[in-house]
Every structure is written in C-alpha cells, then in structure tokens.
Coordinates of all heavy atoms in Angstrom, one line a residue:
M620 N 81.4 -21.1 6.0 CA 80.2 -21.9 6.4 C 79.0 -21.6 5.4 O 78.9 -20.5 4.9 CB 79.8 -21.5 7.8 CG 80.8 -22.0 8.8 SD 80.3 -21.6 10.6 CE 78.7 -22.3 10.6
S621 N 78.3 -22.7 5.2 CA 77.2 -22.4 4.3 C 76.0 -21.7 5.1 O 75.8 -21.8 6.3 CB 76.6 -23.8 3.9 OG 76.2 -24.6 5.0
K622 N 75.2 -21.0 4.2 CA 74.1 -20.3 4.8 C 72.8 -20.9 4.3 O 72.3 -20.4 3.2 CB 74.2 -18.8 4.4 CG 75.5 -18.2 5.1 CD 75.8 -16.9 4.6 CE 76.9 -16.2 5.4 NZ 78.2 -16.8 5.0
N623 N 72.4 -22.0 4.8 CA 71.2 -22.7 4.3 C 69.9 -22.0 4.5 O 69.0 -22.3 3.7 CB 71.1 -24.1 5.0 CG 72.3 -24.9 4.9 OD1 73.0 -24.9 3.7 ND2 72.6 -25.7 5.8
H624 N 69.8 -21.0 5.2 CA 68.5 -20.4 5.5 C 68.4 -19.0 4.9 O 67.6 -18.2 5.3 CB 68.3 -20.2 7.0 CG 68.3 -21.6 7.7 ND1 67.3 -22.6 7.4 CD2 69.0 -22.2 8.7 CE1 67.5 -23.6 8.0 NE2 68.5 -23.4 8.9
R625 N 69.2 -18.7 3.9 CA 69.0 -17.5 3.1 C 69.4 -17.7 1.6 O 70.1 -18.6 1.3 CB 69.8 -16.3 3.6 CG 71.0 -16.6 4.4 CD 71.6 -15.3 4.8 NE 72.5 -15.4 6.0 CZ 73.5 -14.7 6.2 NH1 73.8 -13.5 5.4 NH2 74.4 -14.8 7.2
G626 N 68.9 -16.7 0.8 CA 69.3 -16.7 -0.7 C 69.0 -18.0 -1.4 O 67.7 -18.4 -1.4
S627 N 69.8 -18.6 -2.1 CA 69.5 -19.7 -2.9 C 69.1 -20.9 -2.2 O 68.4 -21.8 -2.7 CB 70.7 -20.0 -3.8 OG 71.9 -20.4 -3.0
G628 N 69.4 -21.1 -0.9 CA 69.0 -22.1 -0.1 C 67.5 -22.2 0.1 O 67.0 -23.3 0.4
I629 N 66.9 -21.1 0.0 CA 65.4 -21.0 0.3 C 64.5 -20.8 -0.9 O 63.3 -20.7 -0.8 CB 65.0 -20.0 1.5 CG1 65.3 -18.7 1.1 CG2 65.7 -20.6 2.8 CD1 64.9 -17.7 2.1
R630 N 65.2 -20.5 -2.1 CA 64.4 -20.3 -3.3 C 63.5 -21.4 -3.8 O 62.4 -21.2 -4.3 CB 65.3 -19.9 -4.4 CG 65.8 -18.5 -4.2 CD 66.7 -18.0 -5.5 NE 67.5 -16.9 -5.2 CZ 68.7 -16.7 -5.5 NH1 69.4 -17.6 -6.2 NH2 69.4 -15.7 -5.1
S631 N 64.0 -22.6 -3.4 CA 63.2 -23.8 -4.0 C 62.0 -24.1 -3.0 O 61.1 -24.9 -3.4 CB 64.1 -25.0 -4.0 OG 64.6 -25.3 -2.8
L632 N 61.9 -23.5 -1.9 CA 60.8 -23.7 -0.9 C 59.6 -23.0 -1.4 O 59.6 -21.9 -2.0 CB 61.3 -23.3 0.5 CG 62.3 -24.0 1.0 CD1 62.8 -23.4 2.4 CD2 62.1 -25.5 1.4
P633 N 58.4 -23.4 -1.0 CA 57.3 -22.7 -1.3 C 57.1 -21.4 -0.6 O 57.5 -21.2 0.6 CB 56.1 -23.5 -0.8 CG 56.7 -24.8 -0.3 CD 58.2 -24.7 -0.3
K634 N 56.9 -20.3 -1.4 CA 56.8 -18.9 -0.9 C 58.2 -18.6 -0.3 O 58.3 -17.8 0.7 CB 55.8 -18.7 0.2 CG 54.3 -19.0 -0.4 CD 53.3 -19.1 0.6 CE 52.9 -17.7 1.2 NZ 51.8 -17.8 2.2
H635 N 59.3 -19.1 -0.9 CA 60.6 -18.8 -0.4 C 60.8 -19.0 1.1 O 61.5 -18.2 1.8 CB 61.1 -17.3 -0.8 CG 61.1 -17.2 -2.4 ND1 62.0 -17.6 -3.1 CD2 60.1 -16.7 -3.2 CE1 61.9 -17.3 -4.4 NE2 60.6 -16.8 -4.4
G636 N 60.1 -20.0 1.7 CA 60.3 -20.3 3.0 C 59.5 -19.4 4.0 O 59.7 -19.5 5.2
R637 N 58.6 -18.7 3.5 CA 57.8 -17.8 4.5 C 56.5 -18.3 4.7 O 56.0 -19.1 3.9 CB 57.7 -16.4 3.8 CG 59.0 -15.7 3.7 CD 58.9 -14.2 3.2 NE 60.2 -13.6 3.2 CZ 60.6 -13.0 4.2 NH1 60.1 -12.9 5.4 NH2 61.9 -12.3 4.2
G638 N 56.0 -18.0 5.9 CA 54.7 -18.6 6.3 C 54.4 -18.1 7.7 O 54.9 -17.1 8.2
T639 N 53.6 -18.8 8.4 CA 53.2 -18.4 9.8 C 53.9 -19.4 10.8 O 53.9 -20.7 10.7 CB 51.7 -18.7 10.0 OG1 51.1 -17.8 9.0 CG2 51.2 -18.2 11.4
C640 N 54.5 -18.9 11.8 CA 55.2 -19.7 12.8 C 54.1 -20.4 13.7 O 53.1 -19.8 14.1 CB 56.1 -18.8 13.7 SG 56.9 -19.5 15.0
A641 N 54.5 -21.7 13.9 CA 53.5 -22.5 14.7 C 53.4 -22.2 16.1 O 52.5 -22.5 16.9 CB 53.8 -23.9 14.5
I642 N 54.5 -21.5 16.7 CA 54.6 -21.2 18.0 C 54.1 -19.8 18.4 O 53.1 -19.6 19.1 CB 56.0 -21.5 18.7 CG1 56.4 -22.9 18.5 CG2 56.1 -20.9 20.1 CD1 57.8 -23.2 18.9
C643 N 54.8 -18.8 17.8 CA 54.4 -17.4 18.1 C 53.3 -16.9 17.2 O 52.7 -15.9 17.6 CB 55.7 -16.5 17.9 SG 56.4 -16.4 16.3
G644 N 53.0 -17.5 16.1 CA 51.9 -17.1 15.3 C 52.3 -15.8 14.4 O 51.3 -15.4 13.7
K645 N 53.4 -15.5 14.3 CA 53.8 -14.4 13.3 C 53.6 -14.8 11.9 O 53.8 -15.9 11.5 CB 55.3 -14.0 13.5 CG 55.6 -13.3 14.8 CD 57.0 -12.9 14.9 CE 57.4 -12.3 16.2 NZ 58.8 -11.9 16.3
T646 N 53.1 -14.0 11.1 CA 52.7 -14.2 9.7 C 53.8 -13.7 8.8 O 54.6 -12.7 9.1 CB 51.4 -13.7 9.3 OG1 51.4 -12.2 9.5 CG2 50.3 -14.3 10.1
D647 N 54.0 -14.2 7.6 CA 55.0 -13.9 6.6 C 56.4 -13.8 7.1 O 57.1 -12.9 6.8 CB 54.5 -12.6 5.9 CG 53.3 -12.8 5.0 OD1 53.0 -13.9 4.6 OD2 52.5 -11.8 5.1
I648 N 56.8 -14.7 8.0 CA 58.0 -14.8 8.5 C 58.8 -16.0 8.1 O 58.1 -17.0 7.7 CB 58.1 -14.7 10.1 CG1 59.4 -14.4 10.7 CG2 57.4 -15.9 10.6 CD1 59.4 -14.1 12.2
K649 N 60.1 -16.1 7.9 CA 60.8 -17.3 7.5 C 60.5 -18.4 8.5 O 60.9 -18.2 9.7 CB 62.2 -17.0 7.3 CG 62.7 -16.1 6.2 CD 64.2 -15.9 6.1 CE 64.5 -15.0 5.1 NZ 66.0 -14.7 5.1
V650 N 59.9 -19.4 8.0 CA 59.8 -20.6 9.0 C 60.6 -21.8 8.4 O 60.0 -22.6 7.7 CB 58.3 -20.9 9.1 CG1 57.5 -20.0 10.0 CG2 57.6 -20.9 7.8
L651 N 61.9 -21.8 8.7 CA 62.8 -22.7 8.1 C 63.2 -23.8 9.0 O 64.0 -24.6 8.6 CB 63.9 -21.9 7.6 CG 63.7 -20.7 6.6 CD1 64.9 -19.9 6.4 CD2 63.1 -21.3 5.4
Y652 N 62.8 -23.8 10.3 CA 63.3 -24.8 11.2 C 62.2 -25.7 11.5 O 61.1 -25.4 12.0 CB 63.8 -24.1 12.5 CG 64.9 -23.0 12.3 CD1 64.5 -21.7 12.0 CD2 66.2 -23.4 12.2 CE1 65.5 -20.8 11.7 CE2 67.3 -22.5 11.9 CZ 66.9 -21.1 11.6 OH 67.7 -20.2 11.3
E653 N 62.4 -27.1 11.4 CA 61.4 -28.1 11.7 C 61.7 -28.6 13.1 O 62.8 -29.0 13.3 CB 61.5 -29.2 10.7 CG 61.0 -28.9 9.3 CD 60.9 -30.1 8.4 OE1 61.0 -31.2 8.9 OE2 60.6 -29.8 7.2
K654 N 60.7 -28.6 13.9 CA 60.8 -29.1 15.3 C 59.6 -29.9 15.6 O 58.5 -29.9 14.9 CB 60.8 -28.0 16.4 CG 62.1 -27.1 16.3 CD 63.3 -27.9 16.8 CE 64.5 -27.1 16.8 NZ 65.7 -27.8 17.3
E655 N 59.8 -31.0 16.4 CA 58.7 -31.8 16.9 C 58.1 -31.2 18.0 O 58.8 -31.2 19.1 CB 59.2 -33.2 17.1 CG 58.1 -34.2 17.5 CD 58.5 -35.6 17.6 OE1 59.6 -36.0 17.1 OE2 57.9 -36.4 18.2
I656 N 56.8 -30.9 18.0 CA 56.1 -30.2 19.1 C 54.7 -31.1 19.2 O 53.9 -31.1 18.4 CB 55.8 -28.7 18.9 CG1 57.1 -28.0 18.7 CG2 55.0 -28.2 20.0 CD1 57.0 -26.5 18.3
N657 N 54.6 -31.6 20.4 CA 53.4 -32.4 20.7 C 53.2 -33.5 19.6 O 52.1 -33.8 19.3 CB 52.1 -31.5 20.7 CG 52.2 -30.5 21.8 OD1 52.8 -30.8 22.9 ND2 51.5 -29.3 21.6
G658 N 54.3 -34.1 19.3 CA 54.2 -35.2 18.4 C 54.1 -34.9 16.9 O 53.9 -35.9 16.1
Q659 N 54.1 -33.6 16.6 CA 53.9 -33.3 15.2 C 55.1 -32.4 14.8 O 55.6 -31.7 15.5 CB 52.8 -32.3 15.0 CG 51.4 -33.1 15.2 CD 50.3 -32.1 15.1 OE1 50.3 -30.9 15.2 NE2 49.0 -32.7 14.8
N660 N 55.6 -32.7 13.5 CA 56.7 -31.8 13.0 C 56.1 -30.5 12.4 O 55.3 -30.6 11.5 CB 57.4 -32.6 11.9 CG 58.3 -33.6 12.5 OD1 58.8 -33.5 13.7 ND2 58.7 -34.6 11.7
V661 N 56.6 -29.4 13.0 CA 56.1 -28.1 12.5 C 57.2 -27.3 12.2 O 58.3 -27.4 12.6 CB 55.1 -27.4 13.6 CG1 53.9 -28.2 13.9 CG2 56.0 -27.3 14.9
N662 N 56.8 -26.2 11.3 CA 58.0 -25.3 11.0 C 57.8 -24.0 11.9 O 56.8 -23.5 12.1 CB 57.8 -24.8 9.5 CG 58.1 -26.0 8.5 OD1 58.9 -26.8 8.9 ND2 57.5 -26.0 7.3
I663 N 59.0 -23.7 12.5 CA 59.0 -22.5 13.3 C 60.0 -21.5 12.8 O 60.9 -21.8 12.0 CB 59.2 -22.9 14.8 CG1 60.6 -23.6 14.8 CG2 58.2 -23.8 15.3 CD1 61.0 -23.9 16.4
C664 N 59.9 -20.3 13.5 CA 60.8 -19.2 12.9 C 62.1 -19.3 13.8 O 62.3 -20.0 14.7 CB 60.1 -17.9 13.2 SG 59.8 -17.4 15.0
K665 N 63.1 -18.4 13.4 CA 64.4 -18.3 14.0 C 64.4 -18.0 15.4 O 65.1 -18.6 16.2 CB 65.2 -17.3 13.1 CG 66.6 -17.1 13.6 CD 67.1 -16.0 12.8 CE 68.6 -15.7 13.3 NZ 69.1 -14.7 12.3
F666 N 63.5 -17.1 15.8 CA 63.4 -16.6 17.2 C 62.9 -17.8 18.1 O 63.4 -17.9 19.2 CB 62.6 -15.4 17.3 CG 63.0 -14.3 16.3 CD1 62.3 -14.0 15.2 CD2 64.3 -13.7 16.5 CE1 62.8 -13.1 14.2 CE2 64.7 -12.7 15.6 CZ 64.1 -12.4 14.5
C667 N 61.8 -18.4 17.7 CA 61.3 -19.6 18.5 C 62.3 -20.7 18.6 O 62.4 -21.4 19.6 CB 60.0 -19.9 17.9 SG 58.7 -18.7 18.1
N668 N 63.0 -20.9 17.4 CA 64.0 -22.1 17.5 C 65.0 -21.7 18.6 O 65.5 -22.6 19.2 CB 64.6 -22.2 16.1 CG 65.6 -23.3 16.0 OD1 65.3 -24.5 16.4 ND2 66.8 -23.0 15.3
A669 N 65.6 -20.4 18.5 CA 66.5 -20.1 19.5 C 66.0 -20.2 20.9 O 66.8 -20.5 21.9 CB 67.0 -18.6 19.2
H670 N 64.7 -19.8 21.1 CA 64.2 -19.9 22.5 C 64.1 -21.4 22.9 O 64.4 -21.7 24.1 CB 62.8 -19.3 22.4 CG 62.0 -19.3 23.7 ND1 62.3 -18.5 24.7 CD2 61.0 -20.0 24.1 CE1 61.6 -18.8 25.8 NE2 60.8 -19.7 25.4
L671 N 63.6 -22.4 22.0 CA 63.6 -23.7 22.4 C 65.0 -24.2 22.8 O 65.1 -25.0 23.7 CB 63.0 -24.5 21.4 CG 61.4 -24.2 21.1 CD1 61.0 -25.1 20.0 CD2 60.7 -24.7 22.3
K672 N 66.0 -23.8 22.0 CA 67.4 -24.3 22.3 C 67.8 -23.7 23.6 O 68.5 -24.5 24.5 CB 68.3 -23.8 21.2 CG 68.2 -24.7 19.9 CD 69.3 -24.3 19.0 CE 69.3 -25.2 17.8 NZ 70.3 -24.9 16.8
N673 N 67.6 -22.5 24.0 CA 67.9 -22.0 25.2 C 67.3 -22.6 26.4 O 67.8 -22.9 27.4 CB 67.7 -20.5 25.3 CG 68.7 -19.7 24.4 OD1 69.8 -20.1 24.2 ND2 68.3 -18.5 23.9
E674 N 66.0 -22.9 26.3 CA 65.2 -23.6 27.2 C 65.9 -25.1 27.5 O 66.1 -25.5 28.6 CB 63.8 -23.8 26.9 CG 62.9 -22.6 27.1 CD 61.5 -22.8 26.9 OE1 61.2 -23.9 26.2 OE2 60.6 -22.0 27.2
A675 N 66.2 -25.8 26.5 CA 66.7 -27.1 26.6 C 68.1 -27.0 27.2 O 68.5 -27.9 28.0 CB 66.9 -27.7 25.2
R676 N 68.9 -26.0 26.9 CA 70.2 -25.8 27.5 C 70.2 -25.5 29.0 O 71.0 -26.0 29.7 CB 71.0 -24.8 26.7 CG 72.5 -24.6 27.1 CD 73.1 -23.5 26.4 NE 72.4 -22.4 26.2 CZ 72.7 -21.3 25.9 NH1 74.1 -21.0 25.8 NH2 71.9 -20.2 25.7
N677 N 69.3 -24.7 29.3 CA 69.2 -24.2 30.8 C 68.2 -25.1 31.6 O 68.0 -24.9 32.8 CB 68.6 -22.8 30.8 CG 69.5 -21.9 30.2 OD1 70.8 -22.1 30.1 ND2 69.1 -20.7 29.6
A678 N 67.7 -26.2 31.1 CA 66.9 -27.1 31.8 C 67.7 -27.9 32.9 O 68.8 -28.5 32.6 CB 66.2 -28.1 30.9
P679 N 67.4 -28.0 34.1 CA 68.1 -28.6 35.2 C 67.7 -30.1 35.3 O 68.1 -30.7 36.2 CB 67.7 -27.9 36.4 CG 66.3 -27.4 36.2 CD 66.3 -27.1 34.7
A680 N 66.9 -30.6 34.5 CA 66.4 -32.0 34.6 C 67.6 -33.1 34.6 O 67.5 -34.1 35.4 CB 65.5 -32.3 33.4
P681 N 68.7 -33.1 33.7 CA 69.6 -34.1 33.8 C 70.3 -34.2 35.1 O 70.8 -35.3 35.5 CB 70.6 -33.8 32.7 CG 69.8 -32.9 31.7 CD 68.8 -32.1 32.7
A682 N 70.5 -33.2 35.9 CA 71.3 -33.2 37.1 C 70.7 -34.2 38.2 O 71.3 -35.0 38.7 CB 71.4 -31.8 37.8
P683 N 69.3 -34.2 38.4 CA 68.7 -35.1 39.5 C 68.9 -36.6 38.9 O 69.1 -37.4 39.7 CB 67.2 -34.7 39.5 CG 67.3 -33.3 39.1 CD 68.3 -33.2 38.0
A684 N 68.8 -36.8 37.6 CA 68.9 -38.1 37.1 C 70.3 -38.7 37.4 O 70.5 -39.9 37.6 CB 68.6 -38.2 35.6
A685 N 71.3 -37.8 37.2 CA 72.7 -38.3 37.6 C 72.9 -38.6 39.0 O 73.7 -39.5 39.4 CB 73.7 -37.2 37.1
E686 N 72.2 -37.9 39.9 CA 72.4 -38.1 41.4 C 71.7 -39.5 41.7 O 72.2 -40.1 42.6 CB 71.7 -37.1 42.2 CG 72.4 -35.6 42.0 CD 71.8 -34.6 42.8 OE1 70.8 -34.8 43.4 OE2 72.3 -33.4 42.7
E687 N 70.7 -39.9 41.1 CA 70.0 -41.1 41.4 C 70.8 -42.3 41.0 O 70.7 -43.4 41.6 CB 68.5 -41.1 40.7 CG 67.6 -40.1 41.3 CD 66.3 -40.1 40.6 OE1 66.0 -41.0 39.7 OE2 65.6 -39.2 40.8
A688 N 71.5 -42.2 40.0 CA 72.2 -43.4 39.3 C 73.3 -43.9 40.3 O 73.2 -45.2 40.7 CB 72.9 -43.0 38.1
P689 N 74.1 -43.2 41.0 CA 75.0 -43.7 42.0 C 74.3 -44.3 43.2 O 74.8 -45.3 43.8 CB 75.9 -42.5 42.5 CG 75.9 -41.6 41.4 CD 74.5 -41.8 40.8
A690 N 73.2 -43.7 43.6 CA 72.4 -44.3 44.8 C 71.9 -45.7 44.3 O 71.9 -46.6 45.2 CB 71.2 -43.4 45.1
A691 N 71.6 -46.0 43.2 CA 71.1 -47.3 42.8 C 72.2 -48.3 42.8 O 72.0 -49.5 43.0 CB 70.5 -47.2 41.3
E692 N 73.4 -47.9 42.4 CA 74.6 -48.8 42.5 C 75.0 -49.1 43.9 O 75.4 -50.3 44.1 CB 75.8 -48.1 41.7 CG 75.6 -47.9 40.3 CD 76.7 -47.2 39.7 OE1 77.7 -47.0 40.4 OE2 76.6 -46.8 38.5
T693 N 74.8 -48.4 44.8 CA 75.2 -48.7 46.3 C 74.5 -49.9 46.8 O 75.2 -50.8 47.4 CB 75.0 -47.4 47.2 OG1 75.6 -46.3 46.5 CG2 75.5 -47.6 48.5
P694 N 73.2 -50.0 46.7 CA 72.6 -51.3 47.3 C 73.0 -52.5 46.5 O 73.1 -53.6 47.1 CB 71.1 -51.1 47.0 CG 70.9 -49.6 46.8 CD 72.2 -49.1 46.4
A695 N 73.3 -52.4 45.2 CA 73.8 -53.5 44.5 C 75.2 -54.1 45.0 O 75.5 -55.1 45.1 CB 73.9 -53.2 43.0
E696 N 75.9 -53.0 45.4 CA 77.3 -53.4 46.0 C 77.1 -54.1 47.3 O 77.9 -55.0 47.7 CB 78.2 -52.2 46.0 CG 78.6 -51.6 44.8 CD 79.3 -50.2 44.9 OE1 79.5 -49.8 46.0 OE2 79.7 -49.6 43.9
E697 N 76.2 -53.6 48.1 CA 76.0 -54.1 49.4 C 75.4 -55.6 49.3 O 75.6 -56.4 50.0 CB 74.9 -53.3 50.2 CG 75.5 -51.9 50.6 CD 74.6 -51.1 51.3 OE1 73.4 -51.5 51.5 OE2 74.9 -50.0 51.6
A698 N 74.6 -55.8 48.3 CA 74.0 -57.1 48.0 C 75.0 -58.2 47.6 O 75.0 -59.4 47.9 CB 72.9 -57.0 47.0
A699 N 76.0 -57.7 46.9 CA 77.0 -58.7 46.3 C 77.8 -59.3 47.5 O 78.1 -60.5 47.5 CB 78.0 -57.9 45.3
P700 N 78.3 -58.6 48.5 CA 79.0 -59.3 49.6 C 78.1 -60.2 50.3 O 78.5 -61.3 50.8 CB 79.5 -58.2 50.6 CG 79.5 -57.0 49.6 CD 78.4 -57.1 48.6
A701 N 76.8 -59.9 50.5 CA 75.9 -60.8 51.1 C 75.8 -62.1 50.3 O 75.7 -63.2 50.9 CB 74.5 -60.1 51.3
A702 N 75.8 -62.0 48.9 CA 75.6 -63.2 48.1 C 76.9 -64.0 48.3 O 76.8 -65.3 48.2 CB 75.5 -62.8 46.7
E703 N 78.1 -63.4 48.5 CA 79.3 -64.1 48.7 C 79.4 -64.9 50.0 O 80.0 -65.9 50.2 CB 80.5 -63.2 48.5 CG 80.7 -62.7 47.1 CD 81.8 -61.6 47.0 OE1 82.5 -61.4 48.1 OE2 82.0 -61.0 46.0
E704 N 78.8 -64.3 51.0 CA 78.8 -64.9 52.4 C 77.8 -66.1 52.4 O 78.2 -67.1 53.1 CB 78.3 -63.9 53.4 CG 79.3 -62.7 53.6 CD 78.8 -61.6 54.5 OE1 77.6 -61.9 55.1 OE2 79.4 -60.6 54.6
A705 N 76.7 -66.1 51.7 CA 75.8 -67.2 51.8 C 76.4 -68.5 51.2 O 76.4 -69.5 52.0 CB 74.7 -66.9 50.9
P706 N 77.2 -68.6 50.2 CA 77.8 -69.8 49.8 C 79.0 -70.2 50.9 O 79.2 -71.5 51.0 CB 78.5 -69.5 48.5 CG 77.6 -68.4 47.9 CD 77.2 -67.6 49.1
A707 N 79.5 -69.3 51.4 CA 80.6 -69.7 52.4 C 79.9 -70.3 53.6 O 80.4 -71.2 54.3 CB 81.3 -68.4 52.9
E708 N 78.6 -70.0 54.1 CA 78.0 -70.5 55.1 C 77.4 -72.0 54.8 O 77.3 -72.8 55.6 CB 76.8 -69.7 55.6 CG 77.4 -68.4 56.2 CD 76.3 -67.5 56.4 OE1 75.0 -67.8 56.4 OE2 76.5 -66.3 56.9
A709 N 77.1 -72.1 53.5 CA 76.5 -73.4 53.1 C 77.4 -74.6 53.3 O 77.1 -75.6 53.7 CB 76.0 -73.3 51.6
P710 N 78.7 -74.6 53.0 CA 79.5 -75.7 53.1 C 79.8 -76.0 54.7 O 80.1 -77.2 55.0 CB 80.8 -75.4 52.5 CG 80.5 -74.3 51.5 CD 79.4 -73.5 52.1
A711 N 79.7 -75.0 55.4 CA 79.9 -75.3 57.0 C 79.0 -76.3 57.5 O 79.3 -77.2 58.2 CB 79.9 -74.0 57.6
P712 N 77.6 -76.2 57.2 CA 76.7 -77.2 57.8 C 76.9 -78.6 57.2 O 76.8 -79.6 57.8 CB 75.3 -76.7 57.4 CG 75.5 -75.3 57.2 CD 76.8 -75.1 56.8
E713 N 77.4 -78.7 56.0 CA 77.7 -80.0 55.3 C 78.9 -80.7 56.0 O 78.9 -81.8 56.2 CB 78.0 -79.8 53.9 CG 76.8 -79.4 53.0 CD 77.2 -79.1 51.5 OE1 78.3 -79.4 51.2 OE2 76.3 -78.6 50.8
A714 N 79.9 -79.8 56.4 CA 81.0 -80.4 57.1 C 80.5 -80.9 58.6 O 81.1 -81.8 59.0 CB 82.1 -79.3 57.3
E715 N 79.6 -80.3 59.2 CA 79.2 -80.6 60.4 C 78.3 -81.9 60.4 O 78.2 -82.7 61.3 CB 78.3 -79.5 61.2 CG 79.2 -78.3 61.5 CD 78.4 -77.2 62.0 OE1 77.2 -77.4 62.3 OE2 79.0 -76.1 62.2
A716 N 77.5 -82.0 59.3 CA 76.6 -83.1 59.1 C 77.3 -84.5 59.2 O 76.9 -85.4 59.8 CB 75.8 -83.1 57.8
P717 N 78.5 -84.8 58.6 CA 79.1 -86.1 58.7 C 79.7 -86.4 60.1 O 79.7 -87.5 60.5 CB 80.3 -85.9 57.7 CG 80.0 -84.9 56.7 CD 79.0 -84.0 57.5
T718 N 80.0 -85.3 60.8 CA 80.5 -85.6 62.2 C 79.5 -85.9 63.1 O 79.6 -86.7 64.0 CB 81.3 -84.3 62.7 OG1 80.4 -83.2 62.7 CG2 82.5 -84.1 62.0
A719 N 78.2 -85.5 62.8 CA 76.9 -85.8 63.7 C 76.7 -87.2 63.4 O 76.0 -87.9 64.3 CB 75.8 -84.9 63.3
E720 N 76.9 -87.9 62.4 CA 76.4 -89.2 62.1 C 77.3 -90.2 62.8 O 77.9 -90.7 63.4 CB 76.5 -89.5 60.6 CG 75.4 -88.9 59.9 CD 75.4 -89.1 58.4 OE1 76.1 -89.9 58.0 OE2 74.6 -88.5 57.7

C-alpha cells in the first residue's frame, strides 16, 4: 500500500506538510488531512482526523431516520385501498340513476 502521508509524498508540500492543526491547535505537526469544518476546507492532523472518523462512525443519527421511513409508507398503503374503493362506488350510483327514470 502507498504511504501518501510520509516521505516523498509530502516533500512537495510547503514546510513538508507541517503547520498548525485547525482543530486542536498543535503547532509544527503534520497537517495532511483536508476536512470541511463549518463550510471551510481546513488542514487537520492525524489525531483529529481519527477523532472525527470515530465520531461519525459512532453517531446514532441514521437509526431514527430508518425507523421513520417505514412509518411513512404505512399511511400510503392505507390510502391506496381507499382510492380503489372510491371508483367502485362511483359506478353504482350511475347504475341506479337509469332505473330511477
């Protein structure tokens, strides 16, 4: 596997990829990972990058969204049979109308 964040991979970067991390504020540390934070692309260190990935992996947000989706489908299924019944009732009054005349 390639090692993009060491040796010849970072020689072409300014100061060999070292700077101040935008999250933790450490100085003269390798800031080789670009992340979007508050709408801005910033360079962060290896440790802050790992922390953000762990937070995203452990976030329970997707589970409630998955529970809401089946609930939204249930009313749609109930509405579909009601729509089928309405046309079945409409021809019945038409059939009665000619007999009344």
Side-chain angles (χ1 to χ4, degrees):
M620 291 184 50
S621 66
K622 296 171 176 70
N623 296 329
H624 300 298
R625 28 179 161 151
S627 62
I629 62 172
R630 283 188 197 135
S631 61
L632 299 174
K634 296 169 76 174
H635 297 276
R637 294 188 177 269
T639 303
C640 178
I642 296 177
C643 63
K645 290 182 182 177
T646 57
D647 295 328
I648 191 168
K649 291 181 186 175
V650 286
L651 303 171
Y652 303 90
E653 287 188 12
K654 291 289 180 177
E655 184 175 335
I656 300 173
N657 297 331
Q659 295 179 338
N660 284 338
V661 294
N662 291 333
I663 60 173
C664 65
K665 176 181 178 179
F666 307 107
C667 292
N668 185 45
H670 179 72
L671 291 175
K672 282 187 176 182
N673 287 333
E674 281 183 346
R676 182 178 43 157
N677 295 332
E686 291 175 3
E687 292 177 10
E692 293 176 8
T693 306
E696 292 173 1
E697 293 174 1
E703 292 175 6
E704 293 174 7
E708 293 174 4
E713 291 175 9
E715 293 175 11
T718 57
E720 289 180 4

